[in-house]
Amino acid sequence: MNNAVLDRKRDALLVVDLQNDFCAGGSLAVEGGDQVVAPINRILPLFDNIAFTQDWHPADHVSFASAWPGRSLYDSVEADGIPQVLWPDHCVQGSRGAAFHQSLETDRASVILRKGARARLDSYSAFFENDRSTPTGLDGWLRGIGASELYVAGLATDFCVFFTVLDALRLGYKVRVLEDAIRAVDIPPGGAARALGTMRRERAAFIDSRTLG
Ligand code: VGL
Ligand code: ZN
């Protein structure tokens, strides 16, 4: 029912944070994270408009529990009035953990967007930083090339994919989430199911990547 016929100008593929630290052996490994690489590699040739995001933090980033003495991993705190979950150190700029999964075929991407690079501000969404108002520029690129329909894959379902999808819908894009090409951290437990429910309610479509091509 949700089968989509691709249009190379109108459609864009957005691959979120498919980096070593979110895959097996990484500091914030997402269960099954590696498994999304193959379906994404398979569909990359179907798109002309491709953007990859990279979580890209300075070593003293506000989202790292290590920067919050007395606090524990996965605590929820406020930083400058913005809610912040405290993560293990991850995706430090230039580190191996911040590099793309080694099997991911990144050559055909037009845009590699790095986010979360400000020490005091996190950025889950590919469109706006966590102050919910500072744009990353991705919307400008997509509009500039005339892309209006997004196919979203990557990590993690309940954080960076979630906020990216919600912002894309709010910005007026038609959004299809590639359900076999996302994985969740599920912190706190139940967060993944809640995120899926919210994305559906906000009118994101969910399709299997195997229906493409
Ligand atoms: C992410 C937690 C912290 C993600 C990034 O890519 O979903 N999650 N930083
Ligand atoms: Zn991060």
Side-chain angles (χ1 to χ4, degrees):
M1 184 177 77
N2 276 324
N3 270 27
V5 179
L6 292 174
D7 178 306
R8 283 186 173 266
K9 179 159 166 48
R10 179 197 63 195
D11 297 335
L13 176 65
L14 194 50
V15 179
V16 177
D17 295 4
L18 196 27
Q19 295 162 265
N20 290 322
D21 270 340
F22 299 121
C23 294
S27 65
L28 185 34
V30 174
E31 200 181 328
D34 306 64
Q35 296 166 7
V36 307
V37 175
I40 290 168
N41 281 344
R42 190 193 72 79
I43 61 171
L44 280 166
L46 305 176
F47 291 86
D48 281 343
N49 306 322
I50 301 168
F52 287 79
T53 65
Q54 263 178 314
D55 213 32
W56 197 253
H57 301 314
D60 58 349
H61 194 243
V62 67
S63 76
F64 296 171
S66 61
W68 292 77
R71 295 292 194 157
S72 305
L73 271 183
Y74 311 117
D75 275 359
S76 291
V77 299
E78 258 193 29
D80 304 327
I82 297 168
Q84 179 68 58
V85 178
L86 300 185
W87 303 105
D89 291 16
H90 66 278
C91 297
V92 173
Q93 296 170 355
S95 69
R96 206 190 116 62
F100 289 116
H101 187 290
Q102 62 175 11
S103 302
L104 185 64
E105 289 163 16
T106 57
D107 289 356
R108 292 193 58 262
S110 300
V111 166
I112 293 179
L113 182 96
R114 289 168 169 174
K115 61 183 181 59
R118 288 172 219 268
R120 296 287 306 167
L121 183 59
D122 206 357
S123 186
Y124 292 144
S125 166
F127 290 98
F128 294 99
E129 300 191 49
N130 284 9
D131 60 4
R132 317 305 305 132
S133 63
T134 305
T136 62
L138 184 62
D139 180 47
W141 176 66
L142 290 167
R143 272 177 216 283
I145 61 171
S148 58
E149 304 200 9
L150 306 184
Y151 291 76
V152 182
L155 308 172
T157 307
D158 38 351
F159 285 91
C160 290
V161 170
F162 176 72
F163 286 99
T164 295
V165 165
L166 288 201
D167 280 346
L169 291 165
R170 225 170 275 137
L171 289 165
Y173 294 94
K174 182 170 173 123
V175 179
R176 296 185 185 86
V177 180
L178 300 170
E179 61 191 0
D180 57 318
I182 56 172
R183 292 292 185 279
V185 290
D186 206 28
I187 292 173
R194 257 197 316 280
L196 290 170
T198 303
M199 288 190 278
R200 279 185 214 282
R201 202 166 57 242
E202 298 293 326
R203 305 269 182 274
F206 284 76
I207 67 168
D208 192 306
S209 73
R210 287 167 295 188
T211 65
L212 299 179

